[in-house]
Amino acid sequence: MEYIFKFCNLPDDKSTVKIVNEAANRLYYKLEGIDIETLDISDYNKRYFGSLLKNLRSNLQRYAYILVWSITKIDIPLKKLVFLDYGGGSGMLSLLAKECNIGTVIYNDIYDVSARDAELIGKAIGDQADYYIPGDIDKVIDFLKTKSINCNAIANYDVIEHIYDIEEFLKKISLISDNNNLRVFFSSGANPYNPLIKRKLVKNHHRCELLDRESIFGRKERDPLESYLKIRKKMIKNLNPDLSENQVVYLAAATRGLIEYDIKKAVNEFLTSGSVTFKQKYPQYPTNTCDPYTGNWAEHLMDIYQLRNVLQRENFQADIWCGYYGDSNTLLKCLAARSLNLLIKSSGRYGLIFSPFFTLCGNIAPQSSY
């Protein structure tokens, strides 16, 4: 079977495309036969990874596309290449990278439970990554420096829209390699140019900000059940019990999108000056909100071209690319997906209006292009 999106843009390097497609085919049959209920993994990943397995071919098409573009045009043999799956979740991208026989595959996720589960899943099917690193980008940088490892490629899906300070993250990316040969490929479903996606994410922003949630099977334990607004009000009251109710309401609204340590700064500023000068970094998307405890954004809508500019200032050749649709389980949906892919491919940047995701991609390397 084919595990590359139909009618999408692909690199000229057909040998790499073939390697990834054949690896995805092998991985498909490995994962199709896995019984996740017998694995000693968390309920969260039994639910989350299980949902990926229900649409396995489509998901593998997406990860194959990401991997192909992550490792192509790098003048390093696959056996010597170092690939970092940053924010890997259940680890499907790492599994595919190992199935491609990439020299060194490094998995990372800020959630230690996912890091543990991804390693167990990798062991179960014989595609274990070489390293598993729980923690944020600083932990990854420290680990790589300790091991004297230089990454050649870093990629992910649905990660950058959750990172609290995405611009600071992008400024640190080059630190995972000191040999001036690094490729990035960050794909995200939080596409602000697709009106259907944007409407759906705005609704999710409102739910996270205003509504408490029930504890359901497979819930991510680090995610709170209380609304973000309620949490911020409690934090603010604890910081200064003498604040009036009106002042608490004002501060809770003014600190939307802030993590706890920044909320403390805002409250101190208010007590000193009587106002809060914090402004939304992306004011065209005022519904954005994040978990005040962890800074995890609720599908952060961002100025994606501003992110490209950040990478460019860090000496990356960088751009924004359109994403594509994978095949579905029914013929009609497959035909619709492929028709949309043709439209996206032929529409240039306007294809983002129809795309299910976007990609922030780039490379830092002498005499290299993508």
Side-chain angles (χ1 to χ4, degrees):
M1 288 194 290
E2 291 291 326
Y3 290 92
I4 304 292
F5 289 135
K6 297 295 183 182
F7 309 123
C8 71
N9 285 313
L10 288 174
D12 296 330
D13 182 5
K14 301 306 178 187
S15 63
T16 300
V17 174
K18 182 180 179 182
I19 288 170
V20 174
N21 185 69
E22 290 176 350
N25 185 58
R26 294 192 300 271
L27 184 58
Y28 176 89
Y29 289 105
K30 285 185 176 182
L31 291 175
E32 191 181 42
I34 197 171
D35 182 1
I36 59 173
E37 293 301 325
T38 64
L39 298 181
D40 185 26
I41 61 175
S42 66
D43 289 343
Y44 164 68
N45 270 308
K46 284 182 179 179
R47 179 189 62 79
Y48 175 66
F49 191 60
S51 70
L52 295 180
L53 295 180
K54 288 179 182 177
N55 298 288
L56 183 55
R57 187 181 178 197
S58 178
N59 285 313
L60 279 176
Q61 284 180 314
R62 181 175 63 241
Y63 285 114
Y65 170 81
I66 292 171
L67 189 61
V68 160
W69 275 113
S70 300
I71 63 178
T72 192
K73 298 278 182 84
I74 299 178
D75 191 22
I76 298 174
L78 284 186
K79 284 288 187 180
K80 295 184 177 180
L81 191 142
V82 179
F83 176 80
L84 171 60
D85 177 12
Y86 185 86
S90 58
M92 191 170 287
L93 183 56
S94 296
L95 298 176
L96 182 57
K98 283 303 294 183
E99 193 65 41
C100 288
N101 294 314
I102 288 175
T104 302
V105 176
I106 302 169
Y107 167 99
N108 156 267
D109 199 277
I110 197 168
Y111 189 35
D112 58 347
V113 172
S114 284
R116 171 188 171 275
D117 290 349
E119 185 169 7
L120 290 172
I121 293 169
K123 284 180 179 178
I125 65 170
D127 281 317
Q128 186 178 357
D130 297 278
Y131 302 102
Y132 290 85
I133 311 171
D136 60 11
I137 187 63
D138 293 321
K139 292 287 182 62
V140 173
I141 292 169
D142 289 344
F143 179 90
L144 296 177
K145 286 184 176 179
T146 300
K147 295 286 186 179
S148 298
I149 297 173
N150 286 306
C151 286
N152 307 118
I154 174 174
N156 54 47
Y157 181 76
D158 270 357
V159 174
I160 61 174
E161 73 271 26
H162 296 295
I163 297 173
Y164 179 61
D165 192 337
I166 181 59
E167 294 188 16
E168 186 66 22
F169 167 80
L170 294 176
K171 291 175 183 177
K172 293 179 178 179
I173 285 298
S174 61
L175 298 178
I176 67 172
S177 177
D178 62 12
N179 61 10
N180 202 34
N181 192 352
L182 177 63
R183 187 172 183 79
V184 302
F185 205 83
F186 301 144
S187 297
S188 169
N191 177 6
Y193 290 97
N194 184 316
L196 296 179
I197 290 176
K198 182 180 176 182
R199 186 181 306 126
K200 178 181 178 181
L201 297 187
V202 166
K203 288 182 179 178
N204 184 55
H205 294 167
H206 290 312
R207 284 195 295 268
C208 292
E209 175 70 5
L210 301 173
L211 302 178
D212 293 344
R213 288 164 290 283
E214 294 182 1
S215 181
I216 60 173
F217 174 81
R219 181 180 74 86
K220 203 170 189 177
E221 292 296 329
R222 76 194 293 259
D223 293 341
L225 295 175
E226 291 184 311
S227 73
Y228 296 164
L229 178 61
K230 184 183 292 184
I231 293 170
R232 292 199 306 278
K233 285 183 176 180
K234 287 183 177 180
M235 285 182 176
I236 292 163
K237 287 179 180 178
N238 288 336
L239 287 169
N240 193 319
D242 294 331
L243 289 169
S244 69
E245 186 62 30
N246 286 340
Q247 288 173 324
V248 170
V249 169
Y250 164 76
L251 285 167
T255 55
R256 180 175 182 144
L258 293 186
I259 197 170
E260 187 171 10
Y261 58 77
D262 282 333
I263 293 173
K264 291 179 180 178
K265 293 178 184 177
V267 172
N268 289 334
E269 180 188 19
F270 175 79
L271 294 173
T272 302
S273 66
S275 63
V276 175
T277 58
F278 167 75
K279 303 292 183 185
Q280 272 273 2
K281 186 168 285 187
Y282 306 107
Q284 66 269 52
Y285 308 116
T287 62
N288 280 323
T289 187
C290 75
D291 179 347
Y293 293 123
T294 64
N296 180 50
W297 288 95
E299 312 294 339
H300 198 190
L301 288 168
M302 300 173 285
D303 182 340
I304 59 180
Y305 286 99
Q306 183 175 330
L307 301 184
R308 178 201 62 182
N309 294 342
V310 173
L311 270 186
Q312 289 176 340
R313 289 195 294 271
E314 297 301 312
N315 298 318
F316 281 84
Q317 296 173 320
D319 207 351
I320 300 294
W321 286 3
C322 300
Y324 297 89
Y325 292 89
D327 286 337
S328 185
N329 296 325
T330 66
L331 178 60
L332 186 62
K333 288 183 178 180
C334 279
L335 292 174
R338 295 178 184 188
S339 298
L340 283 168
N341 287 349
L342 279 171
L343 177 62
I344 292 166
K345 185 177 180 181
S346 63
S347 299
R349 292 176 185 251
Y350 293 103
L352 286 168
I353 297 171
F354 312 101
S355 296
F357 63 91
F358 71 89
T359 297
L360 172 63
C361 56
N363 62 285
I364 179 168
Q367 300 179 343
S368 177
S369 62
Y370 62 96

